[in-house]
């Protein structure tokens, strides 16, 4: 089982149950919708010429767009890179800023002149099978394989930190930490509420609104929320170690 396959493994059982809610954009994805978008976008990337092993620069902040882009590239067999686009990147995914001379193809989250939108990749059939193995994520000079990322996710899951009935308020600003947290929560079948750069009062409101059972964020914010009844608080640095 590969990285993205493991992240999406709860989708058949969880179906229309909530998977991810992003507070900043108001976007909500069920498990079924998450799986469908990832596999459709992967098929779209293949149609646009992505080949197994090709690097794709993903320049997006933590959020649903990052989750979809990273796992679509992974499912298509590409290698995700957070580095600025250069000659090594065949494609790039960004919000709305790009240099057309740096990358062959650019997909933007927001409609942008000269670029295709990432949403265009959702049209057409889904890619039924992802890669069996191979490189998946480039972090500087280190390239992590599908096996590296799957083993990392399974190691975290053994700790039982997140369960299927949890609602996790995620106040994590780092992309890799966010992806590791999302991977763990989605594998468990939990619901993740993404609150980018939240305040203390904002967190309390979101905890009440979404009936959160767990909060993951900066240590200083966690200490101030630790007294909330029924809430488990986890320092985001738990997810900072590289796989």
């Amino acid at each position: 089982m590969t990285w993205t396959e493991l992240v999406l493994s709860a989708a058949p059982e969880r179906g229309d149950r909530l998977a991810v809610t992003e507070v900043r954009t108001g976007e909500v994805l069920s498990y079924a919708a998450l799986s469908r978008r990832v596999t459709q976008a992967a098929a779209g990337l293949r149609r646009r010429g992505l080949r197994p092993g090709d690097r794709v620069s993903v320049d997006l902040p933590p959020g649903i767009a990052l989750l979809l882009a990273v796992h679509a590239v992974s499912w298509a067999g590409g290698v995700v890179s957070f580095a600025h686009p250069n000659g090594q990147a065949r494609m790039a995914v960004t919000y709305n800023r790009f240099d057309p001379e740096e990358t062959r193809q650019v997909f933007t989250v927001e409609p942008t002149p000269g670029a295709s939108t990432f949403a265009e990749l959702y049209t057409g059939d889904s890619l039924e099978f992802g890669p069996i193995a191979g490189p998946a994520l480039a972090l500087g000079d280190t390239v992590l394989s599908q096996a590296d990322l799957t083993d990392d996710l399974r190691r975290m899951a053994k700790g039982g930190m997140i369960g299927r009935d949890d609602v996790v308020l995620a106040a994590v600003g780092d992309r890799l930490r966010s992806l590791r947290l999302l991977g763990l929560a989605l594998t468990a079948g939990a619901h993740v509420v993404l609150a980018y750069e939240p305040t203390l009062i904002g967190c309390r409101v979101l905890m009440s609104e979404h009936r959160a059972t767990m909060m993951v964020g900066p240590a200083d914010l966690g200490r101030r929320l630790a007294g909330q009844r029924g809430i488990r608080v986890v320092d985001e640095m738990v997810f900072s170690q590289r796989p």
Side-chain angles (χ1 to χ4, degrees):
M1 183 176 287
T2 59
W3 180 36
T4 300
E5 190 176 5
L6 186 55
V7 171
L8 300 179
S9 61
E13 179 190 356
R14 302 302 276 172
D16 291 331
R17 291 180 181 271
L18 290 175
V20 190
T21 297
E22 184 170 351
V23 174
R24 184 175 60 85
T25 62
E27 189 173 4
V28 177
L29 282 182
S30 68
Y31 274 86
L34 171 63
S35 179
R36 183 172 59 251
R37 287 196 185 182
V38 166
T39 54
Q40 284 179 330
L45 290 169
R46 287 277 190 90
R47 288 194 300 270
R48 299 296 185 98
L50 182 67
R51 300 176 305 231
D54 282 346
R55 289 206 180 194
V56 179
S57 172
V58 178
D59 183 16
L60 297 169
I64 286 178
L66 176 69
L67 175 69
L68 291 171
V70 165
H71 284 290
V73 172
S74 168
W75 192 254
V79 181
V80 175
S81 172
F82 295 143
H84 188 73
N86 53 41
Q88 290 184 313
R90 184 178 184 86
M91 298 177 178
V93 184
T94 182
Y95 253 104
N96 54 19
R97 296 181 182 179
F98 70 96
D99 184 341
E101 295 183 359
E102 291 180 330
T103 311
R104 300 182 197 178
Q105 290 194 68
V106 178
F107 301 94
T108 56
V109 174
E110 296 180 350
T112 305
S116 301
T117 62
F118 193 78
E120 291 175 38
L121 299 175
Y122 299 144
T123 59
D125 296 332
S126 297
L127 183 62
E128 186 175 359
F129 299 107
I132 296 175
L137 180 63
L139 300 173
D141 294 330
T142 302
V143 179
L144 301 173
S145 69
Q146 293 284 344
D148 292 331
L149 295 165
T150 302
D151 290 347
D152 173 62
L153 190 46
R154 284 179 167 147
R155 276 196 305 270
M156 290 193 294
K158 285 182 180 178
M161 185 187 304
I162 302 176
R164 60 180 293 168
D165 295 323
D166 276 320
V167 177
V168 183
L169 178 62
V172 180
D174 178 82
R175 287 179 289 194
L176 183 57
R177 291 176 203 158
S178 178
L179 286 170
R180 293 182 81 211
L181 169 58
L182 279 162
L184 180 60
L186 293 171
T187 300
H191 173 205
V192 183
V193 179
L194 297 169
Y196 188 54
E197 295 184 349
T199 62
L200 176 63
I201 294 176
C203 276
R204 285 175 173 162
V205 169
L206 290 170
M207 285 176 176
S208 175
E209 180 181 347
H210 294 279
R211 299 182 180 180
T213 60
M214 181 177 181
M215 180 270 183
V216 181
D220 58 342
L221 184 59
R223 283 192 293 269
R224 300 170 73 185
L225 292 167
Q228 298 288 310
R229 182 177 299 176
I231 299 291
R232 307 193 311 279
V233 176
V234 176
D235 187 343
E236 66 175 303
M237 295 305 291
V238 168
F239 298 93
S240 65
Q241 182 181 354
R242 287 190 177 187

